[in-house]
Amino acid sequence: MVNILSVPVAIIGGITLYVGVFHLEVFVRQTKLREHRSFALTCLLVAAYDAASFGLYNAASAAVGATWQRAQSVTLLLAGVAFLWFVADYTGMTSRKVNLALATVILVTATVAAVEHAGLNWSSQPAIKTLQLTSSLGITYHEMEPGPLAIFRALVATALFAYTFWAAARLYRAGQKQKARPLLVALALLVVGITNDAAVVAGLYKFIYVLEYSYTGMVILMTRWLTAGVVDAAVAEQALRESEARFRNIIESIPLGMHMYEIEAGNRLVFVGANPAADEILGLDTAQFVGKTIEEAFPL
């Protein structure tokens, strides 16, 4: 039977998956928008984390819960690499060398978390956590006690978020405050989620895990900003096309002959076109001269 508290996790996982596909489609259509590619990958991995969280909510034994714990850790670490990549694309304020070093450490950590079964990631001791919110609403987390590598994973996560926060702060100080604000708020939400979940794991107090909700807040914030940028760019592009069309109509309708040129590399002045009046006045089809300089079109 599905625990009712896992239903919201399934819903937000589906939403995050949809958002990831949406941003991937944006990138496919406009490949210069690299931040949409890295954000799409982040969303897809967060959706995978949500799926693992759904499994943990409904695990009936510690052995089953341990499998979902492992899936959570691996997808969360991989999402961290994707998020680092996104912050690099979004802010332009990170170091390529630091990015590669941090991503390498995270990927190695994820690999160890995926394949290690010697008790370093999790011990063989069950850690059953029961939370009763109301008389009829509660949940039991069937988990295993964290092993020694849990501390290392926590340090890696701390380094990741400290570095991404530093990049967002640099963006803010560089004068791009409007662009930096949603990222700073998103990072604050993630810190709250990580802090809460770490406290629950440590047994400091009883509460549900909220990191999946923090990630959803991050996804909503960044999607709103990224989508607004796409819409603004589309509006500007449409306005430019309309302006060019009006200019072209004016040029083609006036009775004065007009030739148009553009400067290419090496300061070459190249003919790019003429209006109908110019062709009529000269009695020439100037289309044959497109791409040529005056000297090339009319050699002495």
Side-chain angles (χ1 to χ4, degrees):
M1 182 177 178
V2 174
N3 188 293
I4 190 65
L5 290 178
S6 68
V7 174
V9 177
I11 293 173
I12 62 178
I15 293 172
T16 304
L17 177 63
Y18 174 81
V19 171
V21 173
F22 167 76
H23 284 284
L24 188 60
E25 183 179 359
V26 171
F27 171 72
V28 169
R29 294 187 177 188
Q30 302 184 56
T31 54
K32 64 181 179 180
L33 302 177
R34 296 182 302 172
E35 65 272 21
H36 286 267
R37 174 183 56 186
S38 49
F39 189 68
L41 182 58
T42 301
C43 290
L44 295 176
L45 287 166
V46 169
Y49 172 79
D50 291 337
S53 299
F54 178 84
L56 180 60
Y57 270 74
N58 292 286
S61 67
V64 175
T67 299
W68 291 115
Q69 274 184 283
R70 188 179 300 277
Q72 278 185 317
S73 293
V74 173
T75 53
L76 191 59
L77 288 166
L78 294 178
V81 175
F83 186 68
L84 173 62
W85 183 14
F86 165 67
V87 171
D89 288 337
Y90 183 80
T91 66
M93 295 291 177
T94 61
S95 164
R96 180 177 175 81
K97 290 183 178 179
V98 175
N99 292 345
L100 289 174
L102 192 52
T104 299
V105 172
I106 296 173
L107 289 173
V108 170
T109 304
T111 301
V112 173
V115 303
E116 189 274 328
H117 294 275
L120 295 178
N121 283 289
W122 296 274
S123 71
S124 58
Q125 181 66 35
I128 311 299
K129 300 178 180 66
T130 300
L131 175 66
Q132 198 67 36
L133 298 176
T134 67
S135 58
S136 59
L137 187 63
I139 188 169
T140 298
Y141 295 109
H142 293 276
E143 301 176 327
M144 292 292 188
E145 288 286 355
L149 287 183
I151 297 176
F152 182 73
R153 290 198 302 273
L155 292 175
V156 170
T158 301
L160 171 67
F161 284 105
Y163 182 58
T164 52
F165 183 84
W166 171 79
R170 283 192 66 195
L171 184 67
Y172 186 89
R173 291 196 300 268
Q176 300 189 55
K177 296 182 179 180
Q178 188 176 7
K179 185 177 181 181
R181 284 192 189 103
L183 181 58
L184 287 168
V185 174
L187 286 167
L189 289 174
L190 293 177
V191 169
V192 169
I194 290 173
T195 303
N196 172 82
D197 289 10
V200 172
V201 170
L204 299 181
Y205 60 85
K206 291 184 177 182
F207 198 63
I208 62 171
Y209 293 130
V210 299
L211 184 55
E212 51 267 32
Y213 298 99
S214 296
Y215 264 119
T216 302
M218 180 273 290
V219 168
I220 292 172
L221 279 169
M222 298 313 305
T223 294
R224 185 179 183 280
W225 174 261
L226 292 172
T227 303
V230 172
V231 171
D232 290 344
V235 170
E237 185 177 353
Q238 178 64 24
L240 178 60
R241 284 198 298 265
E242 292 175 355
S243 177
E244 290 176 343
R246 286 194 296 269
F247 176 75
R248 187 165 52 251
N249 290 336
I250 292 172
I251 295 300
E252 292 180 353
S253 62
I254 61 176
L256 299 176
M258 295 188 66
H259 288 181
M260 288 163 283
Y261 298 84
E262 67 179 19
I263 299 177
E264 292 188 344
N267 290 324
R268 293 179 71 247
L269 189 63
V270 175
F271 178 74
V272 295
N275 65 347
D279 285 5
E280 185 176 345
I281 292 170
L282 295 175
L284 292 172
D285 179 10
T286 56
Q288 62 184 306
F289 304 128
V290 172
K292 297 181 179 181
T293 64
I294 294 178
E295 291 80 7
E296 292 169 342
F298 302 102
L300 295 177

